Amino acid sequence: MISPDSTGPTAYEQVNKILHLLFTSVQTILGNQLIGFYLYGSLSLGDFDPSSSDVDFLVVTTEELSEETLVALRDMHES
């Protein structure tokens, strides 16, 4: 699980807080369909620049998501 404190997956406290919020929201929506939540890109390669980098992540699920689940994820992003 991703921790929202400085012991989180990155060296950046604010990024850890956002990742924690995102992870818990996705976990609530996907439930048992969620297999993993993975960071990649500059954060995982050590090239992250807080002033210009984005945060890349990949969510892996057990199966293709239903339209209802996709709508719930879209609504989560819009809120």
Side-chain angles (χ1 to χ4, degrees):
M1 178 167 161
I2 297 174
S3 172
D5 59 26
S6 61
T7 62
T10 78
Y12 306 94
E13 184 178 351
Q14 292 301 320
V15 172
N16 291 342
K17 288 179 181 181
I18 291 168
L19 287 171
H20 178 73
L21 176 61
L22 183 59
F23 173 78
T24 56
S25 298
V26 167
Q27 187 178 41
T28 297
I29 293 169
L30 295 180
N32 291 334
Q33 289 182 288
L34 178 64
I35 291 177
F37 186 97
Y38 303 96
L39 290 175
Y40 68 98
S42 61
L43 271 170
S44 64
L45 298 173
D47 295 334
F48 185 75
D49 179 349
S51 65
S52 62
S53 295
D54 61 355
V55 176
D56 300 307
F57 62 92
L58 174 71
V59 174
V60 179
T61 60
T62 59
E63 59 195 16
E64 188 172 334
L65 301 179
S66 69
E67 185 63 31
E68 179 181 308
T69 302
L70 292 173
V71 168
L73 290 168
R74 184 183 64 228
D75 290 347
M76 176 203 68
H77 284 288
E78 292 176 355
S79 64

